[in-house]
Structure formats: structure tokens, C-alpha cells
Amino acid sequence: MPSLDTVLEFKGYADIVCAGLLTVSPQLVYDNPIMRAVHAASGLQISNGVVREAAGFNQAIACMVAAIAVGQIVSVKIGPSSPLAFLSMYTTWGVLSLATCFTEMGSATILFSGVHHLGFAGYIWYLRAQTLKKKKGKKA
């Protein structure tokens, strides 16, 4: 099983790639086979990353994703990382994303993001629990 820090660092780099995609080609994130499948299953709209009016919004999302990613990577590198801070951030992101899906602002992308972030928060919680269990076992 990977360490908590390894998972957090990997997720940070993956989010930097996502931020890069949002910067150069948001449509690759918003309208792809996965989002079309989520749209088909949920009936929620597919976000349009091509609309000129959305360019600033897309870039703001890219900046936010990159900032969180860099924070994760730096936290792991300077150690010890703060898994509870990231658990809180990803849980908040996930819950707010899912809540948004109950409004007219909901979209397949937001639904996918909410499920993804809550799933990742659950994985962080699980890895943290395993890490604490191992530490307890070593002290006994």
C-alpha cells in the first residue's frame, strides 16, 4: 500500500496536469467520454469550455487547482504533511460540488468532481487510519 505522503504528492502532480489542461484546452476536461457518460447517467449538462465568456472562469479554476496542488506537494516535501487539512479541503470540495448539482448550476463535470473529491477524501482518511494503526502497533 502506498504511503499517505506518496498519494498526496502524486495527486498534487496530477492536479497540476489537470490545471494545465484547463489552461490550454478546457474542453478536454469538460467534454470527454467520461463526462458524456456522467451526463447520460445523470441528465446534468456538459460544461462548455469553449465559450469565450467562460475563459476567465476556466482560468480561475485552473489557478485554484494548481495552487492546491502546489500546496500538497510542498507540504509533503517539507514534511510532515497535513493530511487532515487536505482531508478537510477535499471533503468540502466534494460536498459543495454535489450540493451544486441540486441547483441549475449543476453539471456532469461538477458531479464527477464531487464524487472524485469525496472518494479521494475517503482514501486519505483510510490511509491516515492505517498509518496511525501502524504507529500504535510499533509503540506497544
Side-chain angles (χ1 to χ4, degrees):
M1 179 177 352
S3 75
L4 184 55
D5 282 349
T6 299
V7 170
L8 288 172
E9 184 177 4
F10 179 80
K11 174 79 164 83
Y13 287 118
D15 282 348
I16 287 173
V17 169
C18 183
L21 286 173
L22 284 167
T23 298
V24 299
S25 186
Q27 209 53 19
L28 287 175
V29 174
Y30 294 135
D31 188 6
N32 59 57
I34 295 171
M35 291 311 128
R36 285 192 289 277
V38 173
H39 162 71
S42 69
L44 292 169
Q45 67 182 337
I46 293 178
S47 300
N48 186 345
V50 177
V51 178
R52 181 72 189 130
E53 292 80 17
F57 174 77
N58 290 333
Q59 190 56 33
I61 295 293
C63 292
M64 182 176 53
V65 169
I68 292 170
V70 169
Q72 259 184 226
I73 294 166
V74 169
S75 175
V76 168
K77 295 291 185 187
I78 64 173
S81 67
S82 303
L84 289 179
F86 295 110
L87 176 66
S88 300
M89 284 192 307
Y90 285 118
T91 300
T92 301
W93 188 310
V95 168
L96 292 177
S97 293
L98 293 180
T100 301
C101 291
F102 290 101
T103 73
E104 72 265 359
M105 294 180 292
S107 71
T109 308
I110 294 172
L111 176 60
F112 181 82
S113 180
V115 170
H116 162 79
H117 283 91
L118 282 177
F120 191 71
Y123 189 52
I124 291 172
W125 178 84
Y126 171 77
L127 287 176
R128 183 174 181 276
Q130 296 304 309
T131 302
L132 292 174
K133 202 182 285 186
K134 284 180 187 175
K135 284 181 181 180
K136 256 187 179 175
K138 287 182 182 178
K139 287 182 181 178

PDB file of all heavy atoms in Angstrom, residues 10-49:
ATOM      1  N   PHE A  10       1.465  12.477  -5.424  1.00  0.00           N
ATOM      2  CA  PHE A  10       1.002  12.067  -6.751  1.00  0.00           C
ATOM      3  C   PHE A  10      -0.235  12.858  -7.161  1.00  0.00           C
ATOM      4  O   PHE A  10      -0.347  13.330  -8.296  1.00  0.00           O
ATOM      5  CB  PHE A  10       0.714  10.562  -6.778  1.00  0.00           C
ATOM      6  CG  PHE A  10       0.218  10.082  -8.103  1.00  0.00           C
ATOM      7  CD1 PHE A  10       1.102   9.843  -9.150  1.00  0.00           C
ATOM      8  CD2 PHE A  10      -1.140   9.896  -8.326  1.00  0.00           C
ATOM      9  CE1 PHE A  10       0.639   9.418 -10.390  1.00  0.00           C
ATOM     10  CE2 PHE A  10      -1.609   9.480  -9.561  1.00  0.00           C
ATOM     11  CZ  PHE A  10      -0.708   9.237 -10.596  1.00  0.00           C
ATOM     12  N   LYS A  11      -1.184  13.001  -6.232  1.00  0.00           N
ATOM     13  CA  LYS A  11      -2.406  13.767  -6.516  1.00  0.00           C
ATOM     14  C   LYS A  11      -2.049  15.214  -6.833  1.00  0.00           C
ATOM     15  O   LYS A  11      -2.654  15.827  -7.715  1.00  0.00           O
ATOM     16  CB  LYS A  11      -3.348  13.693  -5.315  1.00  0.00           C
ATOM     17  CG  LYS A  11      -4.598  14.559  -5.425  1.00  0.00           C
ATOM     18  CD  LYS A  11      -5.648  13.936  -6.293  1.00  0.00           C
ATOM     19  CE  LYS A  11      -7.010  14.574  -6.101  1.00  0.00           C
ATOM     20  NZ  LYS A  11      -7.227  15.786  -6.855  1.00  0.00           N
ATOM     21  N   GLY A  12      -1.061  15.769  -6.150  1.00  0.00           N
ATOM     22  CA  GLY A  12      -0.624  17.129  -6.444  1.00  0.00           C
ATOM     23  C   GLY A  12      -0.139  17.261  -7.874  1.00  0.00           C
ATOM     24  O   GLY A  12      -0.531  18.186  -8.601  1.00  0.00           O
ATOM     25  N   TYR A  13       0.703  16.337  -8.308  1.00  0.00           N
ATOM     26  CA  TYR A  13       1.207  16.384  -9.689  1.00  0.00           C
ATOM     27  C   TYR A  13       0.074  16.155 -10.701  1.00  0.00           C
ATOM     28  O   TYR A  13       0.028  16.808 -11.748  1.00  0.00           O
ATOM     29  CB  TYR A  13       2.334  15.368  -9.902  1.00  0.00           C
ATOM     30  CG  TYR A  13       3.619  15.781  -9.232  1.00  0.00           C
ATOM     31  CD1 TYR A  13       4.183  15.014  -8.222  1.00  0.00           C
ATOM     32  CD2 TYR A  13       4.276  16.955  -9.598  1.00  0.00           C
ATOM     33  CE1 TYR A  13       5.362  15.398  -7.598  1.00  0.00           C
ATOM     34  CE2 TYR A  13       5.457  17.346  -8.981  1.00  0.00           C
ATOM     35  CZ  TYR A  13       5.987  16.565  -7.979  1.00  0.00           C
ATOM     36  OH  TYR A  13       7.157  16.955  -7.366  1.00  0.00           O
ATOM     37  N   ALA A  14      -0.832  15.250 -10.383  1.00  0.00           N
ATOM     38  CA  ALA A  14      -1.966  15.006 -11.275  1.00  0.00           C
ATOM     39  C   ALA A  14      -2.836  16.259 -11.398  1.00  0.00           C
ATOM     40  O   ALA A  14      -3.314  16.590 -12.493  1.00  0.00           O
ATOM     41  CB  ALA A  14      -2.797  13.825 -10.771  1.00  0.00           C
ATOM     42  N   ASP A  15      -3.014  16.975 -10.290  1.00  0.00           N
ATOM     43  CA  ASP A  15      -3.806  18.202 -10.337  1.00  0.00           C
ATOM     44  C   ASP A  15      -3.098  19.298 -11.132  1.00  0.00           C
ATOM     45  O   ASP A  15      -3.755  20.123 -11.770  1.00  0.00           O
ATOM     46  CB  ASP A  15      -4.129  18.687  -8.929  1.00  0.00           C
ATOM     47  CG  ASP A  15      -5.264  17.899  -8.285  1.00  0.00           C
ATOM     48  OD1 ASP A  15      -5.949  17.145  -8.998  1.00  0.00           O
ATOM     49  OD2 ASP A  15      -5.466  18.053  -7.062  1.00  0.00           O
ATOM     50  N   ILE A  16      -1.772  19.328 -11.113  1.00  0.00           N
ATOM     51  CA  ILE A  16      -1.044  20.295 -11.939  1.00  0.00           C
ATOM     52  C   ILE A  16      -1.293  19.996 -13.421  1.00  0.00           C
ATOM     53  O   ILE A  16      -1.502  20.914 -14.229  1.00  0.00           O
ATOM     54  CB  ILE A  16       0.457  20.302 -11.594  1.00  0.00           C
ATOM     55  CG1 ILE A  16       0.655  20.980 -10.241  1.00  0.00           C
ATOM     56  CG2 ILE A  16       1.277  21.009 -12.681  1.00  0.00           C
ATOM     57  CD1 ILE A  16       2.060  20.923  -9.697  1.00  0.00           C
ATOM     58  N   VAL A  17      -1.308  18.724 -13.781  1.00  0.00           N
ATOM     59  CA  VAL A  17      -1.618  18.348 -15.168  1.00  0.00           C
ATOM     60  C   VAL A  17      -3.041  18.800 -15.516  1.00  0.00           C
ATOM     61  O   VAL A  17      -3.287  19.374 -16.588  1.00  0.00           O
ATOM     62  CB  VAL A  17      -1.448  16.826 -15.385  1.00  0.00           C
ATOM     63  CG1 VAL A  17      -2.016  16.394 -16.730  1.00  0.00           C
ATOM     64  CG2 VAL A  17       0.011  16.434 -15.256  1.00  0.00           C
ATOM     65  N   CYS A  18      -3.980  18.580 -14.602  1.00  0.00           N
ATOM     66  CA  CYS A  18      -5.366  18.998 -14.829  1.00  0.00           C
ATOM     67  C   CYS A  18      -5.440  20.514 -15.000  1.00  0.00           C
ATOM     68  O   CYS A  18      -6.132  21.011 -15.899  1.00  0.00           O
ATOM     69  CB  CYS A  18      -6.238  18.536 -13.666  1.00  0.00           C
ATOM     70  SG  CYS A  18      -7.986  18.914 -13.880  1.00  0.00           S
ATOM     71  N   ALA A  19      -4.732  21.261 -14.163  1.00  0.00           N
ATOM     72  CA  ALA A  19      -4.722  22.723 -14.283  1.00  0.00           C
ATOM     73  C   ALA A  19      -4.140  23.145 -15.626  1.00  0.00           C
ATOM     74  O   ALA A  19      -4.634  24.086 -16.259  1.00  0.00           O
ATOM     75  CB  ALA A  19      -3.920  23.337 -13.132  1.00  0.00           C
ATOM     76  N   GLY A  20      -3.114  22.452 -16.068  1.00  0.00           N
ATOM     77  CA  GLY A  20      -2.530  22.744 -17.378  1.00  0.00           C
ATOM     78  C   GLY A  20      -3.530  22.512 -18.504  1.00  0.00           C
ATOM     79  O   GLY A  20      -3.644  23.330 -19.426  1.00  0.00           O
ATOM     80  N   LEU A  21      -4.268  21.408 -18.406  1.00  0.00           N
ATOM     81  CA  LEU A  21      -5.302  21.125 -19.415  1.00  0.00           C
ATOM     82  C   LEU A  21      -6.396  22.192 -19.397  1.00  0.00           C
ATOM     83  O   LEU A  21      -6.870  22.618 -20.454  1.00  0.00           O
ATOM     84  CB  LEU A  21      -5.916  19.746 -19.190  1.00  0.00           C
ATOM     85  CG  LEU A  21      -5.054  18.553 -19.577  1.00  0.00           C
ATOM     86  CD1 LEU A  21      -5.724  17.252 -19.136  1.00  0.00           C
ATOM     87  CD2 LEU A  21      -4.797  18.542 -21.069  1.00  0.00           C
ATOM     88  N   LEU A  22      -6.788  22.603 -18.194  1.00  0.00           N
ATOM     89  CA  LEU A  22      -7.798  23.654 -18.101  1.00  0.00           C
ATOM     90  C   LEU A  22      -7.301  24.963 -18.715  1.00  0.00           C
ATOM     91  O   LEU A  22      -8.089  25.753 -19.232  1.00  0.00           O
ATOM     92  CB  LEU A  22      -8.201  23.891 -16.643  1.00  0.00           C
ATOM     93  CG  LEU A  22      -9.123  22.853 -16.027  1.00  0.00           C
ATOM     94  CD1 LEU A  22      -9.199  23.027 -14.521  1.00  0.00           C
ATOM     95  CD2 LEU A  22     -10.507  22.930 -16.656  1.00  0.00           C
ATOM     96  N   THR A  23      -6.005  25.191 -18.670  1.00  0.00           N
ATOM     97  CA  THR A  23      -5.431  26.405 -19.232  1.00  0.00           C
ATOM     98  C   THR A  23      -5.359  26.354 -20.748  1.00  0.00           C
ATOM     99  O   THR A  23      -5.748  27.302 -21.428  1.00  0.00           O
ATOM    100  CB  THR A  23      -4.019  26.655 -18.647  1.00  0.00           C
ATOM    101  OG1 THR A  23      -4.142  26.849 -17.228  1.00  0.00           O
ATOM    102  CG2 THR A  23      -3.351  27.862 -19.276  1.00  0.00           C
ATOM    103  N   VAL A  24      -4.862  25.251 -21.292  1.00  0.00           N
ATOM    104  CA  VAL A  24      -4.632  25.201 -22.744  1.00  0.00           C
ATOM    105  C   VAL A  24      -5.813  24.629 -23.530  1.00  0.00           C
ATOM    106  O   VAL A  24      -5.990  24.969 -24.692  1.00  0.00           O
ATOM    107  CB  VAL A  24      -3.339  24.422 -23.097  1.00  0.00           C
ATOM    108  CG1 VAL A  24      -2.127  25.096 -22.489  1.00  0.00           C
ATOM    109  CG2 VAL A  24      -3.417  22.979 -22.674  1.00  0.00           C
ATOM    110  N   SER A  25      -6.602  23.764 -22.916  1.00  0.00           N
ATOM    111  CA  SER A  25      -7.710  23.155 -23.648  1.00  0.00           C
ATOM    112  C   SER A  25      -8.788  22.667 -22.670  1.00  0.00           C
ATOM    113  O   SER A  25      -8.919  21.467 -22.430  1.00  0.00           O
ATOM    114  CB  SER A  25      -7.209  21.995 -24.504  1.00  0.00           C
ATOM    115  OG  SER A  25      -8.247  21.501 -25.296  1.00  0.00           O
ATOM    116  N   PRO A  26      -9.560  23.591 -22.107  1.00  0.00           N
ATOM    117  CA  PRO A  26     -10.558  23.198 -21.100  1.00  0.00           C
ATOM    118  C   PRO A  26     -11.568  22.181 -21.616  1.00  0.00           C
ATOM    119  O   PRO A  26     -12.088  21.383 -20.848  1.00  0.00           O
ATOM    120  CB  PRO A  26     -11.240  24.513 -20.722  1.00  0.00           C
ATOM    121  CG  PRO A  26     -10.856  25.490 -21.755  1.00  0.00           C
ATOM    122  CD  PRO A  26      -9.589  25.020 -22.380  1.00  0.00           C
ATOM    123  N   GLN A  27     -11.800  22.165 -22.917  1.00  0.00           N
ATOM    124  CA  GLN A  27     -12.775  21.240 -23.471  1.00  0.00           C
ATOM    125  C   GLN A  27     -12.352  19.786 -23.260  1.00  0.00           C
ATOM    126  O   GLN A  27     -13.196  18.907 -23.163  1.00  0.00           O
ATOM    127  CB  GLN A  27     -13.010  21.551 -24.952  1.00  0.00           C
ATOM    128  CG  GLN A  27     -14.370  21.203 -25.450  1.00  0.00           C
ATOM    129  CD  GLN A  27     -15.522  21.801 -24.636  1.00  0.00           C
ATOM    130  OE1 GLN A  27     -15.379  22.766 -23.877  1.00  0.00           O
ATOM    131  NE2 GLN A  27     -16.676  21.205 -24.760  1.00  0.00           N
ATOM    132  N   LEU A  28     -11.034  19.535 -23.151  1.00  0.00           N
ATOM    133  CA  LEU A  28     -10.579  18.166 -22.865  1.00  0.00           C
ATOM    134  C   LEU A  28     -11.029  17.704 -21.482  1.00  0.00           C
ATOM    135  O   LEU A  28     -11.223  16.515 -21.250  1.00  0.00           O
ATOM    136  CB  LEU A  28      -9.055  18.081 -22.955  1.00  0.00           C
ATOM    137  CG  LEU A  28      -8.449  18.129 -24.351  1.00  0.00           C
ATOM    138  CD1 LEU A  28      -6.921  18.162 -24.274  1.00  0.00           C
ATOM    139  CD2 LEU A  28      -8.903  16.944 -25.170  1.00  0.00           C
ATOM    140  N   VAL A  29     -11.192  18.646 -20.569  1.00  0.00           N
ATOM    141  CA  VAL A  29     -11.653  18.315 -19.223  1.00  0.00           C
ATOM    142  C   VAL A  29     -13.177  18.262 -19.184  1.00  0.00           C
ATOM    143  O   VAL A  29     -13.761  17.359 -18.595  1.00  0.00           O
ATOM    144  CB  VAL A  29     -11.119  19.340 -18.188  1.00  0.00           C
ATOM    145  CG1 VAL A  29     -11.701  19.084 -16.809  1.00  0.00           C
ATOM    146  CG2 VAL A  29      -9.600  19.308 -18.149  1.00  0.00           C
ATOM    147  N   TYR A  30     -13.823  19.236 -19.834  1.00  0.00           N
ATOM    148  CA  TYR A  30     -15.271  19.376 -19.722  1.00  0.00           C
ATOM    149  C   TYR A  30     -16.077  18.469 -20.649  1.00  0.00           C
ATOM    150  O   TYR A  30     -17.203  18.110 -20.325  1.00  0.00           O
ATOM    151  CB  TYR A  30     -15.682  20.827 -19.987  1.00  0.00           C
ATOM    152  CG  TYR A  30     -15.178  21.800 -18.949  1.00  0.00           C
ATOM    153  CD1 TYR A  30     -14.616  23.002 -19.329  1.00  0.00           C
ATOM    154  CD2 TYR A  30     -15.273  21.518 -17.592  1.00  0.00           C
ATOM    155  CE1 TYR A  30     -14.159  23.910 -18.385  1.00  0.00           C
ATOM    156  CE2 TYR A  30     -14.818  22.402 -16.641  1.00  0.00           C
ATOM    157  CZ  TYR A  30     -14.264  23.604 -17.045  1.00  0.00           C
ATOM    158  OH  TYR A  30     -13.822  24.484 -16.109  1.00  0.00           O
ATOM    159  N   ASP A  31     -15.557  18.151 -21.796  1.00  0.00           N
ATOM    160  CA  ASP A  31     -16.333  17.361 -22.763  1.00  0.00           C
ATOM    161  C   ASP A  31     -15.477  16.213 -23.281  1.00  0.00           C
ATOM    162  O   ASP A  31     -14.785  16.331 -24.276  1.00  0.00           O
ATOM    163  CB  ASP A  31     -16.795  18.248 -23.921  1.00  0.00           C
ATOM    164  CG  ASP A  31     -17.755  17.526 -24.857  1.00  0.00           C
ATOM    165  OD1 ASP A  31     -18.149  16.373 -24.555  1.00  0.00           O
ATOM    166  OD2 ASP A  31     -18.097  18.106 -25.895  1.00  0.00           O
ATOM    167  N   ASN A  32     -15.520  15.123 -22.554  1.00  0.00           N
ATOM    168  CA  ASN A  32     -14.755  13.927 -22.912  1.00  0.00           C
ATOM    169  C   ASN A  32     -15.658  12.719 -22.686  1.00  0.00           C
ATOM    170  O   ASN A  32     -16.774  12.872 -22.187  1.00  0.00           O
ATOM    171  CB  ASN A  32     -13.450  13.852 -22.097  1.00  0.00           C
ATOM    172  CG  ASN A  32     -13.720  13.809 -20.607  1.00  0.00           C
ATOM    173  OD1 ASN A  32     -14.426  12.935 -20.116  1.00  0.00           O
ATOM    174  ND2 ASN A  32     -13.165  14.768 -19.871  1.00  0.00           N
ATOM    175  N   PRO A  33     -15.220  11.534 -23.058  1.00  0.00           N
ATOM    176  CA  PRO A  33     -16.095  10.358 -22.905  1.00  0.00           C
ATOM    177  C   PRO A  33     -16.597  10.132 -21.479  1.00  0.00           C
ATOM    178  O   PRO A  33     -17.753   9.724 -21.285  1.00  0.00           O
ATOM    179  CB  PRO A  33     -15.214   9.197 -23.377  1.00  0.00           C
ATOM    180  CG  PRO A  33     -14.259   9.826 -24.343  1.00  0.00           C
ATOM    181  CD  PRO A  33     -13.986  11.201 -23.787  1.00  0.00           C
ATOM    182  N   ILE A  34     -15.770  10.417 -20.478  1.00  0.00           N
ATOM    183  CA  ILE A  34     -16.216  10.225 -19.090  1.00  0.00           C
ATOM    184  C   ILE A  34     -17.343  11.196 -18.764  1.00  0.00           C
ATOM    185  O   ILE A  34     -18.363  10.816 -18.185  1.00  0.00           O
ATOM    186  CB  ILE A  34     -15.042  10.372 -18.104  1.00  0.00           C
ATOM    187  CG1 ILE A  34     -14.027   9.258 -18.325  1.00  0.00           C
ATOM    188  CG2 ILE A  34     -15.536  10.389 -16.665  1.00  0.00           C
ATOM    189  CD1 ILE A  34     -12.725   9.427 -17.563  1.00  0.00           C
ATOM    190  N   MET A  35     -17.163  12.477 -19.116  1.00  0.00           N
ATOM    191  CA  MET A  35     -18.200  13.476 -18.823  1.00  0.00           C
ATOM    192  C   MET A  35     -19.475  13.186 -19.606  1.00  0.00           C
ATOM    193  O   MET A  35     -20.573  13.398 -19.099  1.00  0.00           O
ATOM    194  CB  MET A  35     -17.710  14.890 -19.142  1.00  0.00           C
ATOM    195  CG  MET A  35     -16.622  15.401 -18.217  1.00  0.00           C
ATOM    196  SD  MET A  35     -16.984  15.175 -16.475  1.00  0.00           S
ATOM    197  CE  MET A  35     -15.478  14.369 -15.983  1.00  0.00           C
ATOM    198  N   ARG A  36     -19.341  12.685 -20.839  1.00  0.00           N
ATOM    199  CA  ARG A  36     -20.532  12.334 -21.604  1.00  0.00           C
ATOM    200  C   ARG A  36     -21.271  11.167 -20.951  1.00  0.00           C
ATOM    201  O   ARG A  36     -22.505  11.133 -20.930  1.00  0.00           O
ATOM    202  CB  ARG A  36     -20.172  12.036 -23.057  1.00  0.00           C
ATOM    203  CG  ARG A  36     -19.858  13.326 -23.844  1.00  0.00           C
ATOM    204  CD  ARG A  36     -19.777  13.100 -25.339  1.00  0.00           C
ATOM    205  NE  ARG A  36     -18.601  12.354 -25.768  1.00  0.00           N
ATOM    206  CZ  ARG A  36     -17.396  12.877 -25.978  1.00  0.00           C
ATOM    207  NH1 ARG A  36     -17.208  14.160 -25.787  1.00  0.00           N
ATOM    208  NH2 ARG A  36     -16.404  12.132 -26.365  1.00  0.00           N
ATOM    209  N   ALA A  37     -20.532  10.219 -20.374  1.00  0.00           N
ATOM    210  CA  ALA A  37     -21.164   9.102 -19.659  1.00  0.00           C
ATOM    211  C   ALA A  37     -21.860   9.595 -18.390  1.00  0.00           C
ATOM    212  O   ALA A  37     -22.983   9.159 -18.078  1.00  0.00           O
ATOM    213  CB  ALA A  37     -20.123   8.032 -19.318  1.00  0.00           C
ATOM    214  N   VAL A  38     -21.219  10.506 -17.655  1.00  0.00           N
ATOM    215  CA  VAL A  38     -21.841  11.084 -16.454  1.00  0.00           C
ATOM    216  C   VAL A  38     -23.096  11.855 -16.856  1.00  0.00           C
ATOM    217  O   VAL A  38     -24.138  11.769 -16.198  1.00  0.00           O
ATOM    218  CB  VAL A  38     -20.838  11.980 -15.683  1.00  0.00           C
ATOM    219  CG1 VAL A  38     -21.529  12.715 -14.539  1.00  0.00           C
ATOM    220  CG2 VAL A  38     -19.666  11.155 -15.150  1.00  0.00           C
ATOM    221  N   HIS A  39     -23.018  12.595 -17.954  1.00  0.00           N
ATOM    222  CA  HIS A  39     -24.169  13.339 -18.475  1.00  0.00           C
ATOM    223  C   HIS A  39     -25.308  12.374 -18.810  1.00  0.00           C
ATOM    224  O   HIS A  39     -26.461  12.614 -18.439  1.00  0.00           O
ATOM    225  CB  HIS A  39     -23.746  14.138 -19.713  1.00  0.00           C
ATOM    226  CG  HIS A  39     -24.884  14.582 -20.570  1.00  0.00           C
ATOM    227  ND1 HIS A  39     -25.770  15.574 -20.198  1.00  0.00           N
ATOM    228  CD2 HIS A  39     -25.295  14.152 -21.790  1.00  0.00           C
ATOM    229  CE1 HIS A  39     -26.666  15.737 -21.146  1.00  0.00           C
ATOM    230  NE2 HIS A  39     -26.401  14.880 -22.130  1.00  0.00           N
ATOM    231  N   ALA A  40     -24.989  11.291 -19.499  1.00  0.00           N
ATOM    232  CA  ALA A  40     -26.010  10.320 -19.895  1.00  0.00           C
ATOM    233  C   ALA A  40     -26.666   9.681 -18.667  1.00  0.00           C
ATOM    234  O   ALA A  40     -27.886   9.471 -18.641  1.00  0.00           O
ATOM    235  CB  ALA A  40     -25.403   9.243 -20.794  1.00  0.00           C
ATOM    236  N   ALA A  41     -25.866   9.399 -17.645  1.00  0.00           N
ATOM    237  CA  ALA A  41     -26.392   8.743 -16.440  1.00  0.00           C
ATOM    238  C   ALA A  41     -27.173   9.702 -15.548  1.00  0.00           C
ATOM    239  O   ALA A  41     -28.150   9.310 -14.907  1.00  0.00           O
ATOM    240  CB  ALA A  41     -25.251   8.105 -15.652  1.00  0.00           C
ATOM    241  N   SER A  42     -26.746  10.975 -15.494  1.00  0.00           N
ATOM    242  CA  SER A  42     -27.338  11.923 -14.549  1.00  0.00           C
ATOM    243  C   SER A  42     -28.325  12.896 -15.188  1.00  0.00           C
ATOM    244  O   SER A  42     -29.156  13.467 -14.480  1.00  0.00           O
ATOM    245  CB  SER A  42     -26.230  12.730 -13.877  1.00  0.00           C
ATOM    246  OG  SER A  42     -25.614  13.609 -14.816  1.00  0.00           O
ATOM    247  N   GLY A  43     -28.184  13.124 -16.476  1.00  0.00           N
ATOM    248  CA  GLY A  43     -29.007  14.128 -17.136  1.00  0.00           C
ATOM    249  C   GLY A  43     -28.502  15.544 -16.942  1.00  0.00           C
ATOM    250  O   GLY A  43     -29.093  16.499 -17.452  1.00  0.00           O
ATOM    251  N   LEU A  44     -27.404  15.699 -16.206  1.00  0.00           N
ATOM    252  CA  LEU A  44     -26.837  17.031 -15.988  1.00  0.00           C
ATOM    253  C   LEU A  44     -26.126  17.508 -17.253  1.00  0.00           C
ATOM    254  O   LEU A  44     -25.590  16.709 -18.020  1.00  0.00           O
ATOM    255  CB  LEU A  44     -25.864  17.017 -14.808  1.00  0.00           C
ATOM    256  CG  LEU A  44     -26.496  16.787 -13.441  1.00  0.00           C
ATOM    257  CD1 LEU A  44     -25.421  16.514 -12.389  1.00  0.00           C
ATOM    258  CD2 LEU A  44     -27.346  17.980 -13.029  1.00  0.00           C
ATOM    259  N   GLN A  45     -26.103  18.813 -17.447  1.00  0.00           N
ATOM    260  CA  GLN A  45     -25.489  19.396 -18.638  1.00  0.00           C
ATOM    261  C   GLN A  45     -23.985  19.136 -18.704  1.00  0.00           C
ATOM    262  O   GLN A  45     -23.346  18.896 -17.685  1.00  0.00           O
ATOM    263  CB  GLN A  45     -25.745  20.897 -18.665  1.00  0.00           C
ATOM    264  CG  GLN A  45     -25.033  21.644 -17.531  1.00  0.00           C
ATOM    265  CD  GLN A  45     -25.326  23.128 -17.530  1.00  0.00           C
ATOM    266  OE1 GLN A  45     -25.680  23.696 -18.536  1.00  0.00           O
ATOM    267  NE2 GLN A  45     -25.168  23.752 -16.370  1.00  0.00           N
ATOM    268  N   ILE A  46     -23.447  19.210 -19.899  1.00  0.00           N
ATOM    269  CA  ILE A  46     -21.996  19.154 -20.089  1.00  0.00           C
ATOM    270  C   ILE A  46     -21.505  20.592 -20.135  1.00  0.00           C
ATOM    271  O   ILE A  46     -22.052  21.421 -20.875  1.00  0.00           O
ATOM    272  CB  ILE A  46     -21.629  18.404 -21.394  1.00  0.00           C
ATOM    273  CG1 ILE A  46     -22.002  16.932 -21.252  1.00  0.00           C
ATOM    274  CG2 ILE A  46     -20.147  18.565 -21.718  1.00  0.00           C
ATOM    275  CD1 ILE A  46     -21.740  16.098 -22.484  1.00  0.00           C
ATOM    276  N   SER A  47     -20.501  20.913 -19.328  1.00  0.00           N
ATOM    277  CA  SER A  47     -19.953  22.268 -19.303  1.00  0.00           C
ATOM    278  C   SER A  47     -19.319  22.593 -20.650  1.00  0.00           C
ATOM    279  O   SER A  47     -18.785  21.715 -21.323  1.00  0.00           O
ATOM    280  CB  SER A  47     -18.903  22.399 -18.198  1.00  0.00           C
ATOM    281  OG  SER A  47     -19.487  22.121 -16.953  1.00  0.00           O
ATOM    282  N   ASN A  48     -19.369  23.858 -21.012  1.00  0.00           N
ATOM    283  CA  ASN A  48     -18.812  24.296 -22.279  1.00  0.00           C
ATOM    284  C   ASN A  48     -17.565  25.127 -22.018  1.00  0.00           C
ATOM    285  O   ASN A  48     -17.647  26.272 -21.591  1.00  0.00           O
ATOM    286  CB  ASN A  48     -19.846  25.104 -23.063  1.00  0.00           C
ATOM    287  CG  ASN A  48     -19.373  25.456 -24.449  1.00  0.00           C
ATOM    288  OD1 ASN A  48     -18.196  25.352 -24.765  1.00  0.00           O
ATOM    289  ND2 ASN A  48     -20.302  25.875 -25.282  1.00  0.00           N
ATOM    290  N   GLY A  49     -16.409  24.544 -22.253  1.00  0.00           N
ATOM    291  CA  GLY A  49     -15.149  25.237 -22.033  1.00  0.00           C
ATOM    292  C   GLY A  49     -14.730  26.107 -23.195  1.00  0.00           C
ATOM    293  O   GLY A  49     -13.725  26.808 -23.122  1.00  0.00           O
TER     294      GLY A  49
END
